[in-house]
Amino acid sequence: KSQNGLVKFFQPSFNNPYLPFMPATNWLKKQQSRYKKILFRDETTAFKAGFYFLDKRKIIVDLNDFLLPQISRLKIIKYLPLHWLLKKNITQAWVLVENQKKYFGRKGFCIPNLPLNSFYKNDGYFIKERSVYPTALFVGSYLGEFETFLHEADQYLKLIPSFKLFIVSRAITEELKNKFKADQYIWINNAENICEYYSKAWISIGPGYKKDGPLIKLIESIYFQTPVVCTTVSLNGY
């Protein structure tokens, strides 16, 4: 509390997923008059804190990922009732992708994540000097999605003898290195200066769903003047 100015800390119980966590709800009801806005990070937190008992004009709920337009079949049953409820009660819906705005009608606003122009500045710190041989770069704290990508890509990457793929991650294991032994792979688990690898790279890759951090990779790659190849869902908000 003293270091971070923490006002109150709760550890909600999820033993009953259908009821709010009353200690948090009661505290917020008493304290809400002191605050202009009350922000909940994802709808689960909002629900457990009893957001529907609070002053609706103050509440902002960050749904983390608005998935409804991207899902189908039986999964939609899980999300549809919640989004119907939200759509009926919200004042404004801020989405990251232009076509999701239509779902909310006049309540929808598209607010992209990143003002790209702010990254097109050369402060003299970074110089892009692409390698003579073709190179790609993956940077990430997690390697689950990347490993899935390598299983598919390995057979093709081996066809280009001069190609190099820099993998920069502290999650690199000996098991993974033994699984993908081709000369094309350069494993770096303790990079002192990541600029060196961004400078060489022709492209940066962000495979898979964004739970493994491609959004950060996109920002970083733009800053380091490196084109990005990624899946469509990784581009939400850009």
Side-chain angles (χ1 to χ4, degrees):
K1 287 185 178 181
S2 60
Q3 289 182 337
N4 300 302
L6 192 67
V7 176
K8 186 72 174 175
F9 177 80
F10 296 101
Q11 185 63 56
S13 166
F14 285 87
N15 292 334
N16 191 331
Y18 303 105
L19 293 177
F21 182 66
M22 292 313 296
T25 302
N26 291 333
W27 187 88
L28 283 168
K29 284 172 69 176
K30 292 177 182 177
Q31 300 292 330
Q32 62 180 331
S33 62
R34 299 176 57 193
Y35 300 96
K36 292 181 179 179
K37 296 294 179 185
I38 302 171
L39 171 64
F40 294 102
R41 179 71 166 95
D42 75 47
E43 63 269 39
T44 305
T45 304
F47 172 75
K48 292 305 288 184
F51 73 101
Y52 38 78
F53 294 128
L54 305 176
D55 185 346
K56 306 295 190 298
R57 295 167 298 178
K58 296 187 174 189
I59 292 175
I60 299 171
V61 181
D62 177 0
L63 265 69
N64 195 8
D65 298 306
F66 177 58
L67 297 172
L68 193 61
Q70 302 171 35
I71 58 177
S72 59
R73 300 180 182 174
L74 291 177
K75 279 188 178 180
I76 205 166
I77 298 173
K78 176 180 176 182
Y79 292 97
L80 201 55
L82 173 64
H83 287 295
W84 275 343
L85 182 67
L86 289 171
K87 186 177 177 182
K88 180 178 182 297
N89 290 288
I90 60 172
T91 305
Q92 294 182 357
W94 293 10
V95 297
L96 299 177
V97 184
E98 185 67 31
N99 62 8
Q100 291 181 359
K101 186 173 71 172
K102 300 173 186 175
Y103 176 80
F104 295 98
R106 288 181 296 176
K107 295 180 177 181
F109 298 87
C110 184
I111 314 292
N113 263 341
L114 185 65
L116 296 182
N117 289 340
S118 66
F119 281 83
Y120 295 133
K121 297 176 182 177
N122 188 353
D123 55 11
Y125 176 64
F126 174 77
I127 299 174
K128 184 73 174 176
E129 295 179 334
R130 294 201 317 168
S131 59
V132 176
Y133 50 88
T135 53
L137 171 67
F138 174 84
V139 180
S141 301
Y142 308 100
L143 293 175
E145 297 285 352
F146 178 70
E147 185 176 350
T148 303
F149 162 78
L150 278 188
H151 277 293
E152 298 293 330
D154 183 62
Q155 58 182 314
Y156 304 107
L157 300 183
K158 288 177 179 176
L159 299 176
I160 314 171
S162 61
F163 175 78
K164 299 296 179 188
L165 173 56
F166 298 109
I167 304 114
V168 181
S169 175
R170 291 182 179 176
I172 294 170
T173 62
E174 289 301 318
E175 180 184 358
L176 193 59
K177 289 162 71 173
N178 290 331
K179 191 180 295 185
F180 300 99
K181 285 185 172 181
D183 294 336
Q184 282 82 350
Y185 304 127
I186 311 296
W187 302 92
I188 302 130
N189 61 5
N190 192 19
E192 289 187 12
N193 188 350
I194 203 168
C195 299
E196 173 188 348
Y197 305 103
Y198 270 109
S199 178
K200 293 177 181 178
W202 291 22
I203 61 169
S204 169
I205 59 175
Y209 191 58
K210 61 184 177 185
K211 67 181 181 183
D212 277 2
L215 293 183
I216 299 301
K217 296 179 187 67
L218 282 168
I219 296 171
E220 198 169 71
S221 298
I222 290 167
Y223 181 80
F224 287 118
Q225 304 167 32
T226 307
V228 187
V229 178
C230 59
T231 49
T232 304
V233 74
S234 301
L235 292 169
N236 275 357
Y238 295 89

